[in-house]
Amino acid sequence: MDCCHRPPASLREAVFGFAREQYDTEPEFLWRDTPDAGVLRHDDNRKWFAVLMRVKRSRLGLDLSDDSPVDVLNVKCPSELIGSLRMQDGILPAYHMNKRHWVSILLDGTVPLEEVCGLLDMSFEQTARKKLSGGCSAKPKRIITEWLVPANPKYYDVEQAFREQDEILWKQGRGIEVGNTVFLYVGAPVSSILFRCKVTATNIPYDYSDDCVQIRQVMCIKRLQTYLHGEFSLARMRSLGVSTVRGPRSLSYGLRHALLQVEQDN
C-alpha cells in the first residue's frame, strides 16, 4: 500500500488507503473548523467506525509544553479490552469520544500500521449492523477463504495428532470449502495460533456426540506450517484486531498481515 505522509511520519493516508481497499469507504470531512478531521462510516447503518483527527500533543497529555499537532485515530473496541490496550505505547484514552468504548491511536509510527489496521478491523465489526431476527444477516456476507478456527486441548490433543500425521479430520465449519486456509488457535493453557492448514476435503459424514460436542460432518485439513507457542498469542492477536475466537471466523487485516509475513520469511 502506498503511503503519502501528511504530516511527515504520519500513517494518515495509509489508514485511508486501507479503508478504501478493505471496506470501499472514503473519509468524510464534516467540519469547517477542523478540515483535517475525517470520519469513516458504514454505508448501511451510517455509523462511524473511526474518526481521524489532528490534535495538539499537549491536549493529549503527551507533553504539556508541546503544541505540535499529531494525527490520531479513534476506534471502538470491546470494553473489556480498553484497559489492556491503553497500556500499550501509542494508545491513549479516546479524545472527544466515550472512553469506556473507544481509544485514540497515535499515527506517528509508535503503533505499527498492521496493528492500527487490526484495531480498525475490530472497530468495523463492533459498529456493524447487527443480525436481524431469525439469524439472517442484514447485509451480504463477504466470501471468506482464510479462517481462524478454535481447538480445545482439553478435549483433543491436536499437537499430538499432527506429530503423528500431517493430515487429520476436523469438525466441519459452516462456509469452509476445499482449498480454504485454516489457522488453528489452540485454547488455554496454550492460547496461541499453532498451525496453518489447507482444507483438502469437506462434508465427510461423521457420527459423534458426548456431553460437550455433537459432530455430524467433518473436513480434512493438511498441516502446512507450525508456529511457536506464544508467537501468535491471544494478547498479540488482540493487538491485531481479534478479541475472541469462539468459533470459525475470518482474520482481521492486522493478523493476516502478520501471519503472511511469517510465511514469507520462511
Side-chain angles (χ1 to χ4, degrees):
M1 185 185 301
D2 293 333
C3 295
C4 299
H5 298 302
R6 177 189 169 201
S10 173
L11 298 177
R12 175 190 185 91
E13 298 301 332
V15 169
F16 286 155
F18 170 76
R20 187 177 301 115
E21 294 172 9
Q22 187 78 352
Y23 318 116
D24 194 23
T25 299
E26 294 288 345
E28 299 178 31
F29 300 93
L30 305 177
W31 304 285
R32 290 183 180 180
D33 57 341
T34 53
D36 288 312
V39 170
L40 296 172
R41 66 165 111 206
H42 294 272
D43 287 335
D44 52 2
N45 61 18
R46 305 305 293 162
K47 285 186 177 180
W48 299 358
F49 62 91
V51 184
L52 195 151
M53 301 177 288
R54 296 189 68 191
V55 184
K56 292 181 179 179
R57 290 179 177 271
S58 57
R59 291 187 178 181
L60 295 171
L62 298 174
D63 185 345
L64 297 181
S65 63
D66 188 351
D67 279 340
S68 64
V70 61
D71 284 331
V72 299
L73 183 71
N74 282 352
V75 294
K76 189 174 185 180
C77 307
S79 57
E80 63 270 20
L81 297 184
I82 294 292
S84 59
L85 286 173
R86 291 202 318 220
M87 293 176 66
Q88 300 181 38
D89 290 341
I91 300 182
L92 311 171
Y95 182 75
H96 276 317
M97 301 288 280
N98 188 325
K99 293 175 173 54
R100 292 179 299 172
H101 302 288
W102 294 72
V103 295
S104 289
I105 309 170
L106 294 180
L107 297 183
D108 61 356
T110 304
V111 181
L113 177 60
E114 66 180 37
E115 293 188 23
V116 175
C117 292
L119 292 170
L120 187 59
D121 253 347
M122 181 187 294
S123 187
F124 185 87
E125 292 182 3
Q126 287 286 303
T127 53
R129 178 178 290 180
K130 300 297 186 288
K131 289 185 177 180
L132 301 173
S133 59
C136 297
S137 177
K139 59 181 179 180
K141 292 183 178 180
R142 61 179 177 176
I143 297 175
I144 302 173
T145 59
E146 296 171 315
W147 299 83
L148 187 57
V149 174
N152 192 331
K154 295 179 181 179
Y155 302 122
Y156 184 73
D157 190 346
V158 66
E159 292 187 83
Q160 180 60 37
F162 274 134
R163 278 194 287 267
E164 295 173 355
Q165 54 189 355
D166 286 333
E167 203 161 1
I168 64 173
L169 296 178
W170 199 260
K171 183 180 179 181
Q172 175 72 51
R174 180 179 298 178
I176 300 179
E177 299 180 354
V178 172
N180 286 181
T181 300
V182 166
F183 294 91
L184 283 183
Y185 167 80
V186 181
V190 178
S191 301
S192 293
I193 297 174
L194 292 188
F195 304 105
R196 177 171 64 88
C197 308
K198 181 178 180 180
V199 180
T200 58
T202 58
N203 304 321
I204 303 170
Y206 202 80
D207 187 11
Y208 176 83
S209 63
D210 58 25
D211 294 337
C212 301
V213 66
Q214 185 179 69
I215 303 176
R216 292 292 177 261
Q217 282 186 328
V218 295
M219 56 186 177
C220 191
I221 57 175
K222 182 177 182 179
R223 180 185 56 178
L224 302 179
Q225 187 164 0
T226 301
Y227 304 101
L228 299 174
H229 280 230
E231 187 174 8
F232 288 97
S233 65
L234 182 57
R236 186 181 182 193
M237 289 163 58
R238 284 172 173 166
S239 74
L240 296 171
V242 175
S243 57
T244 59
V245 191
R246 296 192 179 96
R249 54 158 295 167
S250 61
L251 306 179
S252 70
Y253 170 85
L255 180 57
R256 182 180 184 277
H257 183 276
L259 289 163
L260 182 61
Q261 189 61 53
V262 173
E263 182 181 344
Q264 291 174 343
D265 290 344
N266 290 339

